[in-house]
Amino acid sequence: NEGPPDTTAPEVASVAAVDITHVQVTFDEKVLRPSAERTDHYSIHVITAVETPPSDSGDGERAGDPERALPAQVEIASAALQADGRGVLLTTGTNMGAVAYNMLVNGVSDVNGNKMTEVSTTGFTGVNTPDVTAPSVVLRSPRSGATGVGTSEPVAITFSEPMWDVS
């Protein structure tokens, strides 16, 4: 007895900074790799006020008014679905500090094809911990122990974070 089919889109269960260049997004159910690994489905914004330059226009506005500040956006270099099918490790293009951020997520689909259609916003605090975790293999093709694989078949390996090409 299977029960009713799943028709609910995945939700963000948690967001946590792992170190200065990695953020872990965890969903409440397993998600599809192609949608989970699209960096344009995620957006990180600094929510700690970034002050604007002092105004000398004489218009009475306070110098460095945080209400006039524009939130900075953090570049996301890669997104890697973890082995549990629920966690996505984001690698940022810049070091993030121990300030407040908002993670915006949209467009991710669960394994039944239910797609997030509304933006989910979750706050988290960055950390100043350096990246000391070695990359791991999250996907390989052909699978380990596969049989009947031709010698001309391409080999593909996906790591948990971007890799440098150092011949």
Side-chain angles (χ1 to χ4, degrees):
N1 194 7
E2 293 184 22
D6 175 14
T7 59
T8 306
E11 295 182 9
V12 174
S14 66
V15 176
V18 176
D19 56 43
I20 60 173
T21 59
H22 296 96
V23 178
Q24 178 78 23
V25 178
T26 304
F27 292 92
D28 65 343
E29 61 181 312
K30 290 185 177 186
V31 294
L32 289 175
R33 182 174 303 281
S35 70
E37 292 186 342
R38 284 187 50 179
T39 58
D40 62 335
H41 286 173
Y42 308 91
S43 179
I44 301 172
H45 298 268
V46 177
I47 58 175
T48 301
V50 178
E51 292 189 355
T52 57
S55 171
D56 59 357
S57 64
D59 61 5
E61 292 190 51
R62 296 181 308 236
D65 185 352
E67 292 180 2
R68 296 178 58 213
L70 297 175
Q73 186 169 344
V74 177
E75 174 196 0
I76 299 173
S78 71
L81 183 64
Q82 304 300 285
D84 66 0
R86 294 178 53 223
V88 178
L89 185 66
L90 303 178
T91 302
T92 62
T94 58
N95 291 346
M96 297 173 30
V99 298
Y101 296 92
N102 269 337
M103 169 67 68
L104 283 65
V105 181
N106 192 15
V108 176
S109 298
D110 68 17
V111 295
N112 294 307
N114 301 308
K115 182 179 177 179
M116 296 175 72
T117 57
E118 295 184 17
V119 175
S120 169
T121 302
T122 307
F124 71 100
T125 302
V127 295
N128 287 324
T129 307
D131 175 10
V132 294
T133 305
S136 62
V137 174
V138 295
L139 180 67
R140 65 180 138 225
S141 177
R143 305 188 309 278
S144 180
T147 59
V149 178
T151 57
S152 63
E153 290 290 319
V155 174
I157 300 173
T158 303
F159 291 94
S160 60
E161 59 185 300
M163 304 296 296
W164 287 93
D165 180 9
V166 285
S167 307

